[in-house]
Amino acid sequence: PIDWQVKWYSYDSLTNPVRNPGMLETLAGQKPVKEDKVNKLDYAWWGGIRAGERQYPQFITIAAGQVSVPDGEYELSVTWDDAVRLYLDGKIIMDEWEPSKYSFDESPNRKVKVHLSGNHSFRVEHAELNGFATLAVKLRKLD
């Protein structure tokens, strides 16, 4: 398990962080529409996220996670729709911020092998353009 702090922010066509990459920081500096603390990222949404009485069809997810692991080889697996970036200890290790590379109704999955030991931090940036959305991050020890 990874201890995650998850925040969601809504956006519109003018603040779309996929078309306007500089908007991600602007959006993340605002008050989130929803927050959560979980020990795993494993989400799926139809038609956006619900926060209170409102539904937000376009949103970004920013998740920060901390974990302490024994020395070894690990596999990080990420499933997403529509765009995602994954950082490990402040360095980008996965950059899939171009949704046009994937087919309609495809939820891509990518795996990255990493050597880890001790305390590590993760950051996930995820953007949903409309329709079905998913975000799942899993870490498993290989040896």
Side-chain angles (χ1 to χ4, degrees), residues 100-117:
S100 65
K101 292 183 351 185
Y102 303 100
S103 302
F104 177 73
D105 276 351
E106 178 182 12
S107 294
N109 175 274
R110 187 163 160 219
K111 296 176 180 172
V112 177
K113 291 182 182 173
V114 293
H115 183 88
L116 300 175
S117 179

PDB file of all heavy atoms in Angstrom, residues 100-117:
ATOM      1  N   SER A 100      -4.182  11.622 -27.918  1.00  0.00           N
ATOM      2  CA  SER A 100      -4.443  11.272 -29.316  1.00  0.00           C
ATOM      3  C   SER A 100      -3.643  10.047 -29.765  1.00  0.00           C
ATOM      4  O   SER A 100      -3.923   9.479 -30.815  1.00  0.00           O
ATOM      5  CB  SER A 100      -4.153  12.460 -30.228  1.00  0.00           C
ATOM      6  OG  SER A 100      -2.782  12.779 -30.192  1.00  0.00           O
ATOM      7  N   LYS A 101      -2.675   9.589 -28.968  1.00  0.00           N
ATOM      8  CA  LYS A 101      -1.894   8.398 -29.314  1.00  0.00           C
ATOM      9  C   LYS A 101      -2.694   7.110 -29.116  1.00  0.00           C
ATOM     10  O   LYS A 101      -2.274   6.049 -29.548  1.00  0.00           O
ATOM     11  CB  LYS A 101      -0.623   8.312 -28.458  1.00  0.00           C
ATOM     12  CG  LYS A 101       0.376   9.387 -28.756  1.00  0.00           C
ATOM     13  CD  LYS A 101       1.687   9.326 -28.004  1.00  0.00           C
ATOM     14  CE  LYS A 101       1.876   8.383 -26.902  1.00  0.00           C
ATOM     15  NZ  LYS A 101       3.154   8.519 -26.190  1.00  0.00           N
ATOM     16  N   TYR A 102      -3.842   7.198 -28.458  1.00  0.00           N
ATOM     17  CA  TYR A 102      -4.598   6.003 -28.102  1.00  0.00           C
ATOM     18  C   TYR A 102      -5.954   5.987 -28.788  1.00  0.00           C
ATOM     19  O   TYR A 102      -6.518   7.019 -29.115  1.00  0.00           O
ATOM     20  CB  TYR A 102      -4.746   5.920 -26.580  1.00  0.00           C
ATOM     21  CG  TYR A 102      -3.400   5.934 -25.916  1.00  0.00           C
ATOM     22  CD1 TYR A 102      -2.898   7.095 -25.354  1.00  0.00           C
ATOM     23  CD2 TYR A 102      -2.603   4.808 -25.926  1.00  0.00           C
ATOM     24  CE1 TYR A 102      -1.630   7.122 -24.794  1.00  0.00           C
ATOM     25  CE2 TYR A 102      -1.343   4.819 -25.369  1.00  0.00           C
ATOM     26  CZ  TYR A 102      -0.861   5.981 -24.802  1.00  0.00           C
ATOM     27  OH  TYR A 102       0.383   6.003 -24.265  1.00  0.00           O
ATOM     28  N   SER A 103      -6.492   4.775 -28.944  1.00  0.00           N
ATOM     29  CA  SER A 103      -7.781   4.584 -29.591  1.00  0.00           C
ATOM     30  C   SER A 103      -8.915   5.000 -28.674  1.00  0.00           C
ATOM     31  O   SER A 103      -8.791   4.970 -27.452  1.00  0.00           O
ATOM     32  CB  SER A 103      -7.974   3.109 -29.961  1.00  0.00           C
ATOM     33  OG  SER A 103      -6.949   2.670 -30.796  1.00  0.00           O
ATOM     34  N   PHE A 104     -10.043   5.303 -29.296  1.00  0.00           N
ATOM     35  CA  PHE A 104     -11.260   5.613 -28.553  1.00  0.00           C
ATOM     36  C   PHE A 104     -11.597   4.433 -27.645  1.00  0.00           C
ATOM     37  O   PHE A 104     -11.499   3.282 -28.043  1.00  0.00           O
ATOM     38  CB  PHE A 104     -12.405   5.875 -29.535  1.00  0.00           C
ATOM     39  CG  PHE A 104     -13.718   6.139 -28.866  1.00  0.00           C
ATOM     40  CD1 PHE A 104     -13.942   7.335 -28.212  1.00  0.00           C
ATOM     41  CD2 PHE A 104     -14.707   5.187 -28.883  1.00  0.00           C
ATOM     42  CE1 PHE A 104     -15.152   7.580 -27.581  1.00  0.00           C
ATOM     43  CE2 PHE A 104     -15.919   5.414 -28.257  1.00  0.00           C
ATOM     44  CZ  PHE A 104     -16.147   6.615 -27.615  1.00  0.00           C
ATOM     45  N   ASP A 105     -11.980   4.712 -26.416  1.00  0.00           N
ATOM     46  CA  ASP A 105     -12.364   3.715 -25.417  1.00  0.00           C
ATOM     47  C   ASP A 105     -11.221   2.789 -25.008  1.00  0.00           C
ATOM     48  O   ASP A 105     -11.455   1.696 -24.517  1.00  0.00           O
ATOM     49  CB  ASP A 105     -13.557   2.883 -25.886  1.00  0.00           C
ATOM     50  CG  ASP A 105     -14.867   3.583 -25.607  1.00  0.00           C
ATOM     51  OD1 ASP A 105     -14.859   4.605 -24.911  1.00  0.00           O
ATOM     52  OD2 ASP A 105     -15.898   3.102 -26.090  1.00  0.00           O
ATOM     53  N   GLU A 106      -9.995   3.223 -25.225  1.00  0.00           N
ATOM     54  CA  GLU A 106      -8.848   2.439 -24.780  1.00  0.00           C
ATOM     55  C   GLU A 106      -8.352   3.017 -23.461  1.00  0.00           C
ATOM     56  O   GLU A 106      -8.194   4.217 -23.323  1.00  0.00           O
ATOM     57  CB  GLU A 106      -7.727   2.506 -25.819  1.00  0.00           C
ATOM     58  CG  GLU A 106      -6.489   1.752 -25.415  1.00  0.00           C
ATOM     59  CD  GLU A 106      -5.372   1.874 -26.442  1.00  0.00           C
ATOM     60  OE1 GLU A 106      -5.466   2.704 -27.354  1.00  0.00           O
ATOM     61  OE2 GLU A 106      -4.385   1.142 -26.297  1.00  0.00           O
ATOM     62  N   SER A 107      -8.138   2.157 -22.485  1.00  0.00           N
ATOM     63  CA  SER A 107      -7.520   2.566 -21.229  1.00  0.00           C
ATOM     64  C   SER A 107      -6.131   1.945 -21.198  1.00  0.00           C
ATOM     65  O   SER A 107      -5.970   0.781 -20.829  1.00  0.00           O
ATOM     66  CB  SER A 107      -8.347   2.110 -20.030  1.00  0.00           C
ATOM     67  OG  SER A 107      -9.582   2.773 -20.013  1.00  0.00           O
ATOM     68  N   PRO A 108      -5.116   2.703 -21.607  1.00  0.00           N
ATOM     69  CA  PRO A 108      -3.767   2.151 -21.685  1.00  0.00           C
ATOM     70  C   PRO A 108      -3.230   1.749 -20.317  1.00  0.00           C
ATOM     71  O   PRO A 108      -3.638   2.278 -19.281  1.00  0.00           O
ATOM     72  CB  PRO A 108      -2.936   3.306 -22.255  1.00  0.00           C
ATOM     73  CG  PRO A 108      -3.914   4.295 -22.766  1.00  0.00           C
ATOM     74  CD  PRO A 108      -5.183   4.085 -22.029  1.00  0.00           C
ATOM     75  N   ASN A 109      -2.297   0.800 -20.342  1.00  0.00           N
ATOM     76  CA  ASN A 109      -1.575   0.381 -19.152  1.00  0.00           C
ATOM     77  C   ASN A 109      -0.098   0.338 -19.529  1.00  0.00           C
ATOM     78  O   ASN A 109       0.264  -0.153 -20.586  1.00  0.00           O
ATOM     79  CB  ASN A 109      -2.026  -1.000 -18.678  1.00  0.00           C
ATOM     80  CG  ASN A 109      -1.191  -1.485 -17.512  1.00  0.00           C
ATOM     81  OD1 ASN A 109      -0.131  -2.067 -17.687  1.00  0.00           O
ATOM     82  ND2 ASN A 109      -1.670  -1.229 -16.316  1.00  0.00           N
ATOM     83  N   ARG A 110       0.713   0.880 -18.643  1.00  0.00           N
ATOM     84  CA  ARG A 110       2.156   0.852 -18.878  1.00  0.00           C
ATOM     85  C   ARG A 110       2.840   0.431 -17.590  1.00  0.00           C
ATOM     86  O   ARG A 110       2.430   0.820 -16.501  1.00  0.00           O
ATOM     87  CB  ARG A 110       2.639   2.233 -19.314  1.00  0.00           C
ATOM     88  CG  ARG A 110       4.091   2.213 -19.720  1.00  0.00           C
ATOM     89  CD  ARG A 110       4.443   3.437 -20.533  1.00  0.00           C
ATOM     90  NE  ARG A 110       5.879   3.608 -20.484  1.00  0.00           N
ATOM     91  CZ  ARG A 110       6.497   4.747 -20.389  1.00  0.00           C
ATOM     92  NH1 ARG A 110       5.813   5.868 -20.378  1.00  0.00           N
ATOM     93  NH2 ARG A 110       7.796   4.808 -20.337  1.00  0.00           N
ATOM     94  N   LYS A 111       3.905  -0.374 -17.745  1.00  0.00           N
ATOM     95  CA  LYS A 111       4.652  -0.858 -16.595  1.00  0.00           C
ATOM     96  C   LYS A 111       6.090  -0.372 -16.685  1.00  0.00           C
ATOM     97  O   LYS A 111       6.672  -0.346 -17.760  1.00  0.00           O
ATOM     98  CB  LYS A 111       4.615  -2.386 -16.554  1.00  0.00           C
ATOM     99  CG  LYS A 111       3.206  -2.906 -16.339  1.00  0.00           C
ATOM    100  CD  LYS A 111       3.121  -4.388 -16.393  1.00  0.00           C
ATOM    101  CE  LYS A 111       1.662  -4.782 -16.174  1.00  0.00           C
ATOM    102  NZ  LYS A 111       1.421  -6.171 -16.380  1.00  0.00           N
ATOM    103  N   VAL A 112       6.628   0.033 -15.529  1.00  0.00           N
ATOM    104  CA  VAL A 112       7.998   0.527 -15.441  1.00  0.00           C
ATOM    105  C   VAL A 112       8.686  -0.226 -14.310  1.00  0.00           C
ATOM    106  O   VAL A 112       8.146  -0.308 -13.197  1.00  0.00           O
ATOM    107  CB  VAL A 112       8.023   2.050 -15.150  1.00  0.00           C
ATOM    108  CG1 VAL A 112       9.447   2.548 -14.989  1.00  0.00           C
ATOM    109  CG2 VAL A 112       7.289   2.823 -16.215  1.00  0.00           C
ATOM    110  N   LYS A 113       9.870  -0.764 -14.596  1.00  0.00           N
ATOM    111  CA  LYS A 113      10.644  -1.436 -13.556  1.00  0.00           C
ATOM    112  C   LYS A 113      11.596  -0.427 -12.926  1.00  0.00           C
ATOM    113  O   LYS A 113      12.242   0.350 -13.631  1.00  0.00           O
ATOM    114  CB  LYS A 113      11.413  -2.617 -14.140  1.00  0.00           C
ATOM    115  CG  LYS A 113      10.502  -3.740 -14.561  1.00  0.00           C
ATOM    116  CD  LYS A 113      11.255  -4.917 -15.094  1.00  0.00           C
ATOM    117  CE  LYS A 113      10.245  -5.966 -15.529  1.00  0.00           C
ATOM    118  NZ  LYS A 113      10.865  -7.078 -16.213  1.00  0.00           N
ATOM    119  N   VAL A 114      11.649  -0.443 -11.580  1.00  0.00           N
ATOM    120  CA  VAL A 114      12.511   0.480 -10.839  1.00  0.00           C
ATOM    121  C   VAL A 114      13.151  -0.248  -9.671  1.00  0.00           C
ATOM    122  O   VAL A 114      12.596  -1.209  -9.141  1.00  0.00           O
ATOM    123  CB  VAL A 114      11.720   1.710 -10.316  1.00  0.00           C
ATOM    124  CG1 VAL A 114      11.241   2.578 -11.452  1.00  0.00           C
ATOM    125  CG2 VAL A 114      10.554   1.289  -9.443  1.00  0.00           C
ATOM    126  N   HIS A 115      14.337   0.203  -9.295  1.00  0.00           N
ATOM    127  CA  HIS A 115      14.993  -0.298  -8.089  1.00  0.00           C
ATOM    128  C   HIS A 115      14.664   0.679  -6.959  1.00  0.00           C
ATOM    129  O   HIS A 115      14.904   1.876  -7.091  1.00  0.00           O
ATOM    130  CB  HIS A 115      16.509  -0.400  -8.279  1.00  0.00           C
ATOM    131  CG  HIS A 115      17.179  -0.976  -7.071  1.00  0.00           C
ATOM    132  ND1 HIS A 115      17.341  -2.322  -6.911  1.00  0.00           N
ATOM    133  CD2 HIS A 115      17.681  -0.388  -5.957  1.00  0.00           C
ATOM    134  CE1 HIS A 115      17.917  -2.552  -5.748  1.00  0.00           C
ATOM    135  NE2 HIS A 115      18.139  -1.388  -5.144  1.00  0.00           N
ATOM    136  N   LEU A 116      14.116   0.172  -5.871  1.00  0.00           N
ATOM    137  CA  LEU A 116      13.737   1.014  -4.739  1.00  0.00           C
ATOM    138  C   LEU A 116      14.320   0.464  -3.455  1.00  0.00           C
ATOM    139  O   LEU A 116      14.508  -0.747  -3.309  1.00  0.00           O
ATOM    140  CB  LEU A 116      12.210   1.083  -4.600  1.00  0.00           C
ATOM    141  CG  LEU A 116      11.418   1.635  -5.774  1.00  0.00           C
ATOM    142  CD1 LEU A 116       9.930   1.523  -5.505  1.00  0.00           C
ATOM    143  CD2 LEU A 116      11.804   3.078  -6.052  1.00  0.00           C
ATOM    144  N   SER A 117      14.549   1.381  -2.513  1.00  0.00           N
ATOM    145  CA  SER A 117      15.015   1.018  -1.186  1.00  0.00           C
ATOM    146  C   SER A 117      14.704   2.164  -0.242  1.00  0.00           C
ATOM    147  O   SER A 117      15.073   3.304  -0.516  1.00  0.00           O
ATOM    148  CB  SER A 117      16.520   0.738  -1.207  1.00  0.00           C
ATOM    149  OG  SER A 117      16.965   0.406   0.086  1.00  0.00           O
TER     150      SER A 117
END
